[in-house]
Amino acid sequence: MPTLFSRIIAREIPADIVYEDEHVVAFRDIDPKAPVHILIVPRQEIAGVAELPDSGDHQHLLNAARRIAEQEGLVDGYRLVINQGPGAGQTVDHLHMHLLGGRPLGWPPG
Ligand code: 5GP
């Protein structure tokens, strides 16, 4: 069964896609926690950080994040988050990086 995010990547489920290249697809979170809240997803189905192969599409997540942050005009800064496992709040078992910005971001996160 394809993951929820693979179905978004395949355009089977609608989403506001803001960026894509041969390795990753990025779209706005359906339940945003900041004015800018984008999920950056490798095309490759990797369940999470705990299952990362040595190489693959996930190696392009950071470069995509930089490009999207520039595209979104996040000149004051932004935060990149990956939740690994239920204890950290991971709810979709397809690796994804949250890009959050557009408001002051407290530290430490909850
Ligand atoms: P996690 O909790 O696994 O780190 O992040 C999963 C994220 O996916 C959540 O922030 C949630 O709001 C988002 N999400 C869940 N289902 C959908 C969906 O169908 N479309 C979009 N755009 N985001 C979703």
Side-chain angles (χ1 to χ4, degrees), residues 23-103:
H23 301 289
V24 309
V25 177
F27 46 88
R28 295 192 193 280
D29 198 291
I30 202 168
D31 182 19
K33 301 297 189 284
V36 176
H37 186 173
I38 291 167
L39 302 173
I40 310 171
V41 183
R43 290 183 184 274
Q44 193 177 349
E45 285 193 352
I46 301 165
V49 171
E51 290 82 15
L52 277 189
D54 286 339
S55 63
D57 286 340
H58 61 284
Q59 294 175 290
H60 300 269
L61 288 172
L62 279 175
N63 292 85
R66 172 180 55 75
R67 293 191 193 104
I68 297 162
E70 288 170 6
Q71 188 176 293
E72 294 288 321
L74 297 175
V75 292
D76 284 344
Y78 49 91
R79 182 166 295 158
L80 302 172
V81 174
I82 298 176
N83 296 320
Q84 167 56 43
Q90 184 178 6
T91 57
V92 178
D93 289 336
H94 184 152
L95 180 69
H96 51 283
M97 177 181 283
H98 298 255
L99 167 60
L100 298 144
R103 67 165 170 81

